[in-house]
Amino acid sequence: MAIQRTLSIIKPDATRRNLTGMINDRFEKRGLRIVAQKRIRLTEAQAQRFYEVHAERSFYRGLVAFMTSGPIVVQVLEGENAVVLNREVMGATNPADAAPGTIRKDFAESTEANSVHGSDSLENAAQEIAFFFSTIEICP
Ligand code: GDP
């Protein structure tokens, strides 16, 4: 299995409840290394661009409003099979469907306010990492 990088976002519902450390602990305990991390506040234009793929969905406007409602922590996670491993650590989009012990099961407030984002493919991971980080900000 190859070493991969994936983009993770700790969402505003989680930063508001001061859960950054608890969530990072889940990543590190499962062997994901945080090789870049910064706390930022997205502008509306940035959130719209990041979630452009969902522009036609009914939840798009609400999602953009939610993602700009407070600080987020964007991070690059590195490890064996990091893309799929992070999706496992996160759990299903809707916390009601998430497996026990996952971040979303334990911390998410709703399908929208579900505490974390994680890239869903290696190709998207590369694009999403480049959206937030320059090469010199990533320190393996
Ligand atoms: P993810 O890859 O598990 O984050 O899920 P998606 O890529 O399908 O959706 C992106 C984000 O949009 C999710 O993490 C949620 O924050 C939000 N979202 C997805 N589906 C719904 C929905 O049916 N209703 C609402 N309100 N938000 C949703």
Side-chain angles (χ1 to χ4, degrees):
M1 207 62 82
I3 299 287
Q4 296 176 345
R5 288 179 181 170
T6 190
L7 184 88
S8 166
I9 304 178
I10 301 178
K11 294 186 179 183
D13 66 289
T15 61
R16 178 171 45 76
R17 289 174 289 152
N18 216 17
L19 294 173
T20 300
M22 299 273 280
I23 290 173
N24 281 349
D25 186 54
R26 301 291 181 101
F27 297 140
E28 291 183 338
K29 284 213 165 82
R30 293 290 297 275
L32 289 164
R33 185 176 298 273
I34 302 161
V35 295
Q37 175 167 264
K38 58 191 173 190
R39 182 173 160 111
I40 60 171
R41 180 95 180 237
L42 284 177
T43 64
E44 190 176 359
Q46 288 167 336
Q48 284 172 342
R49 197 148 51 86
F50 185 75
Y51 280 114
E52 209 161 35
V53 62
H54 294 307
E56 304 306 318
R57 309 291 289 275
S58 58
F59 58 80
Y60 178 68
R61 284 172 62 117
L63 179 61
V64 168
F66 164 63
M67 289 301 289
T68 55
S69 68
I72 61 171
V73 176
V74 291
Q75 40 193 198
V76 180
L77 306 180
E78 185 178 85
E80 291 273 339
N81 202 22
V83 173
V84 168
L85 175 58
N86 183 40
R87 297 289 302 188
E88 275 175 30
V89 174
M90 290 163 57
T93 309
N94 180 346
D97 301 331
T102 60
I103 292 169
R104 284 169 165 171
K105 184 63 159 191
D106 292 341
F107 299 126
E109 295 180 321
S110 66
T111 298
E112 178 180 84
N114 58 4
S115 301
V116 280
H117 166 87
S119 308
D120 63 3
S121 69
L122 200 51
E123 187 187 0
N124 285 342
Q127 284 176 10
E128 291 179 359
I129 289 168
F131 186 94
F132 287 109
F133 292 97
S134 65
T135 324
I136 58 163
E137 291 178 296
I138 303 171
C139 187

